[in-house]
mmCIF file of all heavy atoms in Angstrom:
data_model
loop_
_atom_site.group_PDB
_atom_site.id
_atom_site.type_symbol
_atom_site.label_atom_id
_atom_site.label_comp_id
_atom_site.label_asym_id
_atom_site.label_seq_id
_atom_site.Cartn_x
_atom_site.Cartn_y
_atom_site.Cartn_z
ATOM 1 N N ARG A 1005 8.057 0.855 -29.102
ATOM 2 C CA ARG A 1005 7.393 -0.488 -28.906
ATOM 3 C C ARG A 1005 5.948 -0.278 -28.323
ATOM 4 O O ARG A 1005 5.147 -1.099 -28.518
ATOM 5 C CB ARG A 1005 8.204 -1.389 -28.059
ATOM 6 C CG ARG A 1005 8.456 -0.995 -26.583
ATOM 7 C CD ARG A 1005 9.210 -2.024 -25.837
ATOM 8 N NE ARG A 1005 9.637 -1.491 -24.597
ATOM 9 C CZ ARG A 1005 9.892 -2.231 -23.459
ATOM 10 N NH1 ARG A 1005 9.712 -3.559 -23.553
ATOM 11 N NH2 ARG A 1005 10.331 -1.802 -22.346
ATOM 12 N N TYR A 1006 5.755 0.829 -27.559
ATOM 13 C CA TYR A 1006 4.426 1.120 -27.099
ATOM 14 C C TYR A 1006 3.714 2.120 -27.918
ATOM 15 O O TYR A 1006 2.613 2.049 -28.256
ATOM 16 C CB TYR A 1006 4.521 1.589 -25.658
ATOM 17 C CG TYR A 1006 4.963 0.497 -24.679
ATOM 18 C CD1 TYR A 1006 6.200 0.535 -24.051
ATOM 19 C CD2 TYR A 1006 4.094 -0.545 -24.317
ATOM 20 C CE1 TYR A 1006 6.557 -0.511 -23.219
ATOM 21 C CE2 TYR A 1006 4.487 -1.553 -23.479
ATOM 22 C CZ TYR A 1006 5.724 -1.518 -22.861
ATOM 23 O OH TYR A 1006 5.970 -2.521 -22.041
ATOM 24 N N ALA A 1007 4.523 3.241 -28.307
ATOM 25 C CA ALA A 1007 3.916 4.365 -28.974
ATOM 26 C C ALA A 1007 3.342 3.894 -30.346
ATOM 27 O O ALA A 1007 2.316 4.476 -30.802
ATOM 28 C CB ALA A 1007 4.893 5.438 -29.170
ATOM 29 N N SER A 1008 3.947 2.958 -31.021
ATOM 30 C CA SER A 1008 3.544 2.572 -32.302
ATOM 31 C C SER A 1008 2.182 1.836 -32.206
ATOM 32 O O SER A 1008 1.336 1.916 -33.180
ATOM 33 C CB SER A 1008 4.553 1.513 -32.936
ATOM 34 O OG SER A 1008 4.811 0.488 -32.154
ATOM 35 N N LEU A 1009 1.834 1.241 -31.076
ATOM 36 C CA LEU A 1009 0.595 0.626 -30.907
ATOM 37 C C LEU A 1009 -0.616 1.629 -30.986
ATOM 38 O O LEU A 1009 -1.586 1.365 -31.477
ATOM 39 C CB LEU A 1009 0.512 -0.178 -29.507
ATOM 40 C CG LEU A 1009 -0.783 -0.920 -29.260
ATOM 41 C CD1 LEU A 1009 -0.916 -2.128 -30.224
ATOM 42 C CD2 LEU A 1009 -0.801 -1.418 -27.835
ATOM 43 N N GLN A 1010 -0.294 2.756 -30.375
ATOM 44 C CA GLN A 1010 -1.242 3.874 -30.333
ATOM 45 C C GLN A 1010 -1.584 4.381 -31.808
ATOM 46 O O GLN A 1010 -2.683 4.699 -32.097
ATOM 47 C CB GLN A 1010 -0.761 5.027 -29.488
ATOM 48 C CG GLN A 1010 -1.777 6.131 -29.131
ATOM 49 C CD GLN A 1010 -1.256 7.150 -28.227
ATOM 50 O OE1 GLN A 1010 -0.247 7.761 -28.616
ATOM 51 N NE2 GLN A 1010 -1.899 7.395 -27.194
ATOM 52 N N LYS A 1011 -0.579 4.361 -32.658
ATOM 53 C CA LYS A 1011 -0.749 4.787 -33.985
ATOM 54 C C LYS A 1011 -1.510 3.781 -34.829
ATOM 55 O O LYS A 1011 -2.343 4.020 -35.653
ATOM 56 C CB LYS A 1011 0.627 5.078 -34.625
ATOM 57 C CG LYS A 1011 1.315 6.374 -34.086
ATOM 58 C CD LYS A 1011 2.530 6.699 -34.857
ATOM 59 C CE LYS A 1011 3.213 7.906 -34.285
ATOM 60 N NZ LYS A 1011 4.441 8.274 -35.012
ATOM 61 N N LEU A 1012 -1.126 2.507 -34.630
ATOM 62 C CA LEU A 1012 -1.698 1.464 -35.495
ATOM 63 C C LEU A 1012 -3.030 0.986 -35.019
ATOM 64 O O LEU A 1012 -3.938 0.783 -35.823
ATOM 65 C CB LEU A 1012 -0.657 0.175 -35.399
ATOM 66 C CG LEU A 1012 0.720 0.411 -36.092
ATOM 67 C CD1 LEU A 1012 1.614 -0.669 -35.769
ATOM 68 C CD2 LEU A 1012 0.495 0.661 -37.530
ATOM 69 N N PHE A 1013 -3.213 0.808 -33.677
ATOM 70 C CA PHE A 1013 -4.463 0.426 -33.149
ATOM 71 C C PHE A 1013 -4.914 1.275 -31.996
ATOM 72 O O PHE A 1013 -4.756 0.884 -30.896
ATOM 73 C CB PHE A 1013 -4.378 -1.115 -32.680
ATOM 74 C CG PHE A 1013 -3.768 -2.007 -33.763
ATOM 75 C CD1 PHE A 1013 -2.357 -2.386 -33.736
ATOM 76 C CD2 PHE A 1013 -4.549 -2.486 -34.827
ATOM 77 C CE1 PHE A 1013 -1.811 -3.183 -34.658
ATOM 78 C CE2 PHE A 1013 -4.035 -3.357 -35.676
ATOM 79 C CZ PHE A 1013 -2.704 -3.676 -35.686
ATOM 80 N N PRO A 1014 -5.345 2.473 -32.253
ATOM 81 C CA PRO A 1014 -5.658 3.391 -31.143
ATOM 82 C C PRO A 1014 -6.707 2.941 -30.156
ATOM 83 O O PRO A 1014 -6.487 3.169 -28.932
ATOM 84 C CB PRO A 1014 -6.093 4.690 -31.924
ATOM 85 C CG PRO A 1014 -6.496 4.203 -33.212
ATOM 86 C CD PRO A 1014 -5.646 3.003 -33.552
ATOM 87 N N GLN A 1015 -7.684 2.212 -30.559
ATOM 88 C CA GLN A 1015 -8.728 1.841 -29.656
ATOM 89 C C GLN A 1015 -8.145 0.729 -28.663
ATOM 90 O O GLN A 1015 -8.281 0.668 -27.499
ATOM 91 C CB GLN A 1015 -9.956 1.236 -30.394
ATOM 92 C CG GLN A 1015 -10.749 2.386 -31.052
ATOM 93 C CD GLN A 1015 -11.963 1.899 -31.677
ATOM 94 O OE1 GLN A 1015 -12.146 0.721 -31.987
ATOM 95 N NE2 GLN A 1015 -12.922 2.788 -31.918
ATOM 96 N N GLU A 1016 -7.459 -0.328 -29.329
ATOM 97 C CA GLU A 1016 -6.919 -1.374 -28.510
ATOM 98 C C GLU A 1016 -5.767 -0.853 -27.664
ATOM 99 O O GLU A 1016 -5.512 -1.373 -26.566
ATOM 100 C CB GLU A 1016 -6.345 -2.472 -29.456
ATOM 101 C CG GLU A 1016 -7.370 -3.246 -30.306
ATOM 102 C CD GLU A 1016 -7.771 -2.557 -31.580
ATOM 103 O OE1 GLU A 1016 -7.468 -1.334 -31.724
ATOM 104 O OE2 GLU A 1016 -8.429 -3.218 -32.461
ATOM 105 N N ALA A 1017 -5.103 0.166 -28.175
ATOM 106 C CA ALA A 1017 -3.944 0.649 -27.407
ATOM 107 C C ALA A 1017 -4.342 1.197 -26.005
ATOM 108 O O ALA A 1017 -3.703 0.927 -24.941
ATOM 109 C CB ALA A 1017 -3.205 1.765 -28.172
ATOM 110 N N GLU A 1018 -5.453 1.896 -25.954
ATOM 111 C CA GLU A 1018 -5.953 2.479 -24.654
ATOM 112 C C GLU A 1018 -6.203 1.393 -23.688
ATOM 113 O O GLU A 1018 -5.793 1.458 -22.495
ATOM 114 C CB GLU A 1018 -7.162 3.371 -24.822
ATOM 115 C CG GLU A 1018 -6.864 4.683 -25.522
ATOM 116 C CD GLU A 1018 -5.816 5.436 -24.657
ATOM 117 O OE1 GLU A 1018 -6.019 5.604 -23.379
ATOM 118 O OE2 GLU A 1018 -4.849 5.938 -25.302
ATOM 119 N N ALA A 1019 -6.887 0.281 -24.119
ATOM 120 C CA ALA A 1019 -7.194 -0.749 -23.183
ATOM 121 C C ALA A 1019 -5.961 -1.562 -22.751
ATOM 122 O O ALA A 1019 -5.795 -1.889 -21.602
ATOM 123 C CB ALA A 1019 -8.138 -1.828 -23.905
ATOM 124 N N LEU A 1020 -4.959 -1.758 -23.733
ATOM 125 C CA LEU A 1020 -3.725 -2.429 -23.352
ATOM 126 C C LEU A 1020 -2.739 -1.529 -22.429
ATOM 127 O O LEU A 1020 -2.123 -2.102 -21.564
ATOM 128 C CB LEU A 1020 -3.051 -2.862 -24.625
ATOM 129 C CG LEU A 1020 -3.590 -4.095 -25.325
ATOM 130 C CD1 LEU A 1020 -2.890 -4.425 -26.645
ATOM 131 C CD2 LEU A 1020 -3.547 -5.360 -24.437
ATOM 132 N N PHE A 1021 -2.769 -0.240 -22.728
ATOM 133 C CA PHE A 1021 -1.996 0.620 -21.762
ATOM 134 C C PHE A 1021 -2.570 0.600 -20.391
ATOM 135 O O PHE A 1021 -1.776 0.564 -19.423
ATOM 136 C CB PHE A 1021 -2.023 2.048 -22.366
ATOM 137 C CG PHE A 1021 -1.177 2.238 -23.585
ATOM 138 C CD1 PHE A 1021 -1.363 3.432 -24.285
ATOM 139 C CD2 PHE A 1021 -0.282 1.334 -24.049
ATOM 140 C CE1 PHE A 1021 -0.598 3.697 -25.471
ATOM 141 C CE2 PHE A 1021 0.474 1.546 -25.192
ATOM 142 C CZ PHE A 1021 0.314 2.690 -25.986
ATOM 143 N N GLU A 1022 -3.829 0.589 -20.288
ATOM 144 C CA GLU A 1022 -4.463 0.472 -18.975
ATOM 145 C C GLU A 1022 -4.121 -0.792 -18.333
ATOM 146 O O GLU A 1022 -3.868 -0.865 -17.135
ATOM 147 C CB GLU A 1022 -5.943 0.649 -19.134
ATOM 148 C CG GLU A 1022 -6.711 0.795 -17.799
ATOM 149 C CD GLU A 1022 -8.183 1.006 -17.993
ATOM 150 O OE1 GLU A 1022 -8.650 1.540 -19.033
ATOM 151 O OE2 GLU A 1022 -8.916 0.592 -17.161
ATOM 152 N N LYS A 1023 -4.165 -1.882 -19.111
ATOM 153 C CA LYS A 1023 -3.839 -3.186 -18.556
ATOM 154 C C LYS A 1023 -2.366 -3.312 -18.075
ATOM 155 O O LYS A 1023 -2.149 -3.787 -17.008
ATOM 156 C CB LYS A 1023 -4.126 -4.239 -19.588
ATOM 157 C CG LYS A 1023 -3.623 -5.719 -19.114
ATOM 158 C CD LYS A 1023 -3.940 -6.794 -20.085
ATOM 159 C CE LYS A 1023 -3.371 -8.074 -19.719
ATOM 160 N NZ LYS A 1023 -3.558 -8.501 -18.378
ATOM 161 N N THR A 1024 -1.419 -2.757 -18.903
ATOM 162 C CA THR A 1024 -0.019 -2.958 -18.435
ATOM 163 C C THR A 1024 0.225 -2.069 -17.236
ATOM 164 O O THR A 1024 1.062 -2.499 -16.363
ATOM 165 C CB THR A 1024 0.932 -2.613 -19.622
ATOM 166 O OG1 THR A 1024 2.242 -3.212 -19.371
ATOM 167 C CG2 THR A 1024 1.047 -1.179 -19.909
ATOM 168 N N GLU A 1025 -0.369 -0.945 -17.134
ATOM 169 C CA GLU A 1025 -0.216 -0.137 -15.872
ATOM 170 C C GLU A 1025 -0.833 -0.799 -14.704
ATOM 171 O O GLU A 1025 -0.281 -0.851 -13.658
ATOM 172 C CB GLU A 1025 -0.849 1.249 -16.130
ATOM 173 C CG GLU A 1025 -0.666 2.206 -14.890
ATOM 174 C CD GLU A 1025 -1.056 3.648 -15.209
ATOM 175 O OE1 GLU A 1025 -1.529 3.945 -16.194
ATOM 176 O OE2 GLU A 1025 -0.846 4.367 -14.304
ATOM 177 N N LYS A 1026 -2.069 -1.447 -14.876
ATOM 178 C CA LYS A 1026 -2.688 -2.153 -13.809
ATOM 179 C C LYS A 1026 -1.796 -3.285 -13.435
ATOM 180 O O LYS A 1026 -1.728 -3.616 -12.215
ATOM 181 C CB LYS A 1026 -3.971 -2.615 -14.353
ATOM 182 C CG LYS A 1026 -4.847 -3.295 -13.271
ATOM 183 C CD LYS A 1026 -6.209 -3.719 -13.786
ATOM 184 C CE LYS A 1026 -7.059 -4.453 -12.747
ATOM 185 N NZ LYS A 1026 -8.363 -4.928 -13.313
ATOM 186 N N ASP A 1027 -1.226 -4.071 -14.382
ATOM 187 C CA ASP A 1027 -0.337 -5.170 -14.069
ATOM 188 C C ASP A 1027 0.793 -4.713 -13.204
ATOM 189 O O ASP A 1027 1.180 -5.391 -12.247
ATOM 190 C CB ASP A 1027 0.084 -5.878 -15.361
ATOM 191 C CG ASP A 1027 -0.983 -6.541 -16.123
ATOM 192 O OD1 ASP A 1027 -2.024 -6.790 -15.514
ATOM 193 O OD2 ASP A 1027 -0.734 -6.873 -17.309
ATOM 194 N N ALA A 1028 1.391 -3.653 -13.582
ATOM 195 C CA ALA A 1028 2.561 -3.138 -12.897
ATOM 196 C C ALA A 1028 2.199 -2.709 -11.438
ATOM 197 O O ALA A 1028 2.967 -3.000 -10.516
ATOM 198 C CB ALA A 1028 3.210 -1.865 -13.612
ATOM 199 N N ARG A 1029 1.043 -2.022 -11.297
ATOM 200 C CA ARG A 1029 0.632 -1.690 -9.978
ATOM 201 C C ARG A 1029 0.315 -2.942 -9.079
ATOM 202 O O ARG A 1029 0.727 -2.946 -7.901
ATOM 203 C CB ARG A 1029 -0.694 -0.866 -10.018
ATOM 204 C CG ARG A 1029 -0.529 0.431 -10.849
ATOM 205 C CD ARG A 1029 0.293 1.451 -10.158
ATOM 206 N NE ARG A 1029 0.334 2.766 -10.928
ATOM 207 C CZ ARG A 1029 1.376 3.440 -11.236
ATOM 208 N NH1 ARG A 1029 2.484 3.041 -10.770
ATOM 209 N NH2 ARG A 1029 1.332 4.595 -11.939
ATOM 210 N N ALA A 1030 -0.299 -3.967 -9.703
ATOM 211 C CA ALA A 1030 -0.542 -5.163 -9.012
ATOM 212 C C ALA A 1030 0.651 -5.830 -8.600
ATOM 213 O O ALA A 1030 0.834 -6.393 -7.390
ATOM 214 C CB ALA A 1030 -1.476 -6.089 -9.869
ATOM 215 N N ARG A 1031 1.719 -5.842 -9.461
ATOM 216 C CA ARG A 1031 2.930 -6.415 -9.181
ATOM 217 C C ARG A 1031 3.671 -5.819 -7.928
ATOM 218 O O ARG A 1031 4.133 -6.468 -7.038
ATOM 219 C CB ARG A 1031 3.868 -6.477 -10.356
ATOM 220 C CG ARG A 1031 5.057 -7.287 -10.294
ATOM 221 C CD ARG A 1031 5.662 -7.553 -11.695
ATOM 222 N NE ARG A 1031 5.901 -6.357 -12.465
ATOM 223 C CZ ARG A 1031 5.214 -6.141 -13.667
ATOM 224 N NH1 ARG A 1031 4.377 -6.929 -14.081
ATOM 225 N NH2 ARG A 1031 5.455 -5.003 -14.309
ATOM 226 N N ARG A 1032 3.617 -4.436 -8.007
ATOM 227 C CA ARG A 1032 4.212 -3.727 -6.856
ATOM 228 C C ARG A 1032 3.432 -4.057 -5.602
ATOM 229 O O ARG A 1032 4.111 -4.170 -4.463
ATOM 230 C CB ARG A 1032 4.214 -2.196 -7.136
ATOM 231 C CG ARG A 1032 4.876 -1.439 -6.019
ATOM 232 C CD ARG A 1032 4.854 0.058 -6.221
ATOM 233 N NE ARG A 1032 5.301 0.643 -4.956
ATOM 234 C CZ ARG A 1032 6.546 0.842 -4.579
ATOM 235 N NH1 ARG A 1032 7.485 0.489 -5.446
ATOM 236 N NH2 ARG A 1032 6.889 1.482 -3.473
ATOM 237 N N GLN A 1033 2.158 -3.987 -5.605
ATOM 238 C CA GLN A 1033 1.384 -4.276 -4.473
ATOM 239 C C GLN A 1033 1.694 -5.717 -3.883
ATOM 240 O O GLN A 1033 1.650 -5.904 -2.636
ATOM 241 C CB GLN A 1033 -0.138 -4.182 -4.743
ATOM 242 C CG GLN A 1033 -0.616 -2.732 -4.763
ATOM 243 C CD GLN A 1033 -0.276 -1.874 -3.578
ATOM 244 O OE1 GLN A 1033 -0.450 -2.298 -2.473
ATOM 245 N NE2 GLN A 1033 0.434 -0.811 -3.791
#
């Protein structure tokens, strides 16, 4: 569900991967 985004939309994937990691870190904080 995540890896396919990198194949289909590589540029958008990097930004969204960064966002979901940032969201998870913020949630933990």
Side-chain angles (χ1 to χ4, degrees):
R1005 59 175 172 158
Y1006 292 109
S1008 57
L1009 183 69
Q1010 192 179 53
K1011 289 185 178 181
L1012 295 170
F1013 308 100
Q1015 292 182 338
E1016 293 87 344
E1018 283 307 307
L1020 284 174
F1021 287 165
E1022 185 177 332
K1023 173 176 171 51
T1024 198
E1025 183 170 3
K1026 184 179 178 182
D1027 291 342
R1029 301 288 184 229
R1031 191 161 51 243
R1032 180 183 173 83
Q1033 283 306 308

